[in-house]
Amino acid sequence: MKGFGIWQAFLLIGLFGLVVLFYQGLWGDPTALPPVIIEEPASEIVAPDLYSGEEFRLSEHLGKVVVLNFWASWCLECKLEHKFLLAIQKRFESRADFAMYGVNYQDKARLAKAYLEQYGNNFKHVIDAKGKISIDYGVYGVPETFIIDKKGVIRHKIIGPVLGDSYSDLVENIIEPLLNKPESGVTS
Amino acid sequence: MRIWATFLFTVFVFFPVSEEPLLFAQDGPMPPALSMGDDELQAKTKEIAKVLRCAVCQSESVWESNSTLAIQMRDIVRERLLAGESSDEIQAYFVSRYGDYIIFKPRFRGINLLLWGGPFLLLLFGGVILLRNLSKWTKPHPELPEAPSASLDPIDEKQRQRLEQELRKG
């Protein structure tokens, strides 16, 4: 093949790379965000309980699998997932090594309480008054759910509502394996 | 009565109620940002917030946006400046939470190097290809006869007149 040199080969490789990137861009999920804080130690949370005002500290729950759900009363998708969150709590509430907390995001306590009264409630909630917790967890919007393992490391993050397949996946493939994992090496 | 009014006026005008801790009540050396004036703090906050992307907006910076998240992010920038953190440390904090996406100007490292260097590499690549082709085009073709090196013979009077005639015809 006369005239097909190294430059043409580089050009072809470059063009092929661009086509691959273009193809990925076409079929990729445009809403997908990089999972930045997965596998990182969860930031400490110190926040008042929505009802009692008592101080909640995440670090007091080391040794437990913690589900943190960021929600707001004005969030429509939160309403869709709410019964699934209640189901998660109901399924694992008997286990001492499980805890689930709601983090109320950019909301008013009065509206949050009215929401819980309307849709039901079986787990505790804390207030993120100044948005510090949400920003510490890199939250873009609600709902977002984080799974923290017994060592206090964020193992999974779900952007959007937990329902249908994502609910089954969360319960069976994430929470249960984490709960059944031996507790050795829990740091304090 | 006037003394009390003056006292209250002084207290509310010069010592407004604030949630920030009283600076003069702190012990130990003062962190650098604590010595900032309001204007300087505002300018520094603006400088950092302009680089941060509002995570819930369309191409707006944290400084420009009025969304609740952007306002909260601005507050965090201000708090961290007051705590003595540098611009780089504050940016690093937001990147550690949201990834490189949160800053408008990609950092000069990792895969971002491709973004920074890519256009220059492409320019270099294109330039090299252009140079190679140009040198090919200007090189005499081996199969074509060489141009006569001798100068052309001057035209005689008859030819000149004919040429002029043809030119006049247009």
Side-chain angles (χ1 to χ4, degrees):
Chain A
M1 222 161 115
K2 198 186 167 189
F4 190 81
I6 195 158
W7 287 106
Q8 282 87 343
F10 270 126
L11 194 66
L12 269 180
I13 292 167
L15 280 174
F16 180 72
L18 285 175
V19 169
V20 168
L21 286 174
F22 178 67
Y23 186 81
Q24 268 192 331
L26 277 183
W27 301 106
D29 179 5
T31 59
L33 295 163
V36 183
I37 58 170
I38 309 298
E39 305 299 326
E40 295 283 330
S43 297
E44 172 66 305
I45 296 177
V46 182
D49 185 275
L50 176 65
Y51 287 97
S52 66
E54 275 174 34
E55 192 177 86
F56 161 83
R57 275 180 186 273
L58 182 64
S59 53
E60 288 171 2
H61 293 272
L62 269 174
K64 292 179 187 176
V65 172
V66 179
V67 175
L68 271 185
N69 174 257
F70 288 78
W71 67 279
S73 65
W74 45 262
C75 156
L76 291 176
E77 286 187 314
C78 300
K79 288 169 190 164
L80 293 176
E81 73 167 1
H82 195 75
K83 64 177 179 186
F84 292 94
L85 298 177
L86 298 176
I88 293 173
Q89 171 67 6
K90 198 172 175 189
R91 182 165 176 156
F92 298 110
E93 66 189 350
S94 59
R95 294 197 62 147
D97 56 354
F98 176 82
M100 182 155 160
Y101 279 87
V103 181
N104 189 235
Y105 171 88
Q106 295 179 7
D107 209 349
K108 290 190 169 82
R110 175 179 56 83
L111 298 175
K113 285 176 190 171
Y115 170 99
L116 292 174
E117 206 168 295
Q118 186 181 349
Y119 295 97
N121 183 31
N122 61 0
F123 58 98
K124 289 191 170 183
H125 301 267
V126 297
I127 305 169
D128 182 18
K130 290 186 174 177
K132 198 179 172 306
I133 305 170
S134 318
I135 293 170
D136 261 350
Y137 280 77
V139 170
Y140 286 89
V142 279
E144 280 192 26
T145 305
F146 294 80
I147 315 302
I148 300 163
D149 72 7
K150 295 176 183 177
K151 291 178 187 172
V153 175
I154 299 172
R155 290 289 175 207
H156 197 72
K157 173 183 177 178
I158 298 169
I159 297 173
V162 175
L163 37 85
D165 287 346
S166 67
Y167 164 78
S168 317
D169 184 51
L170 179 63
V171 167
E172 285 155 26
N173 300 329
I174 295 156
I175 300 176
E176 277 193 349
L178 285 175
L179 281 168
N180 296 331
K181 221 172 167 182
E183 266 188 69
S184 61
V186 174
T187 51
S188 57
Chain B
M1 186 67 193
R2 187 177 286 173
I3 292 169
W4 274 109
T6 312
F7 173 71
L8 286 173
F9 176 81
T10 311
V11 164
F12 284 109
V13 171
F14 294 104
F15 302 101
V17 176
S18 163
E19 285 182 13
E20 297 295 338
L22 293 174
L23 304 183
F24 48 81
Q26 293 199 345
D27 292 330
M30 194 180 271
L34 289 185
S35 57
M36 277 185 198
D38 278 354
D39 290 345
E40 199 187 342
L41 178 64
Q42 184 75 348
K44 200 82 186 151
T45 305
K46 183 178 177 180
E47 183 193 314
I48 298 167
K50 268 178 127 30
V51 181
L52 297 172
R53 185 194 300 273
C54 166
V56 293
C57 317
Q58 292 282 335
S59 300
E60 262 188 313
S61 73
V62 163
W63 181 255
E64 290 152 353
S65 169
N66 280 322
S67 71
T68 311
L69 183 61
I71 293 167
Q72 290 172 340
M73 284 170 119
R74 285 204 292 268
D75 288 343
I76 285 180
V77 170
R78 208 169 284 125
E79 270 175 31
R80 285 180 173 256
L81 277 172
L82 281 169
E85 285 189 22
S86 68
S87 302
D88 286 347
E89 283 170 327
I90 296 170
Q91 274 188 34
Y93 164 73
F94 282 102
V95 170
S96 73
R97 306 292 111 183
Y98 289 94
D100 281 337
Y101 166 82
I102 205 71
I103 42 178
F104 273 121
K105 197 174 159 186
R107 290 189 298 175
F108 199 71
R109 67 171 209 191
I111 192 80
N112 291 346
L113 287 174
L114 207 62
L115 284 174
W116 284 100
F120 298 106
L121 278 177
L122 283 175
L123 199 68
L124 186 73
F125 189 70
V128 169
I129 287 179
L130 188 70
L131 273 178
R132 281 170 58 86
N133 282 319
L134 276 177
S135 67
K136 246 188 232 171
W137 295 338
T138 51
K139 227 187 262 174
H141 200 283
E143 287 169 18
L144 287 176
E146 271 192 38
S149 56
S151 60
L152 294 169
D153 294 333
I155 55 170
D156 58 21
E157 186 54 26
K158 197 177 165 189
Q159 282 172 319
R160 194 184 60 78
Q161 279 174 2
R162 193 177 162 200
L163 267 173
E164 277 180 0
Q165 208 178 348
E166 291 292 328
L167 284 168
R168 255 184 251 119
K169 271 187 210 170

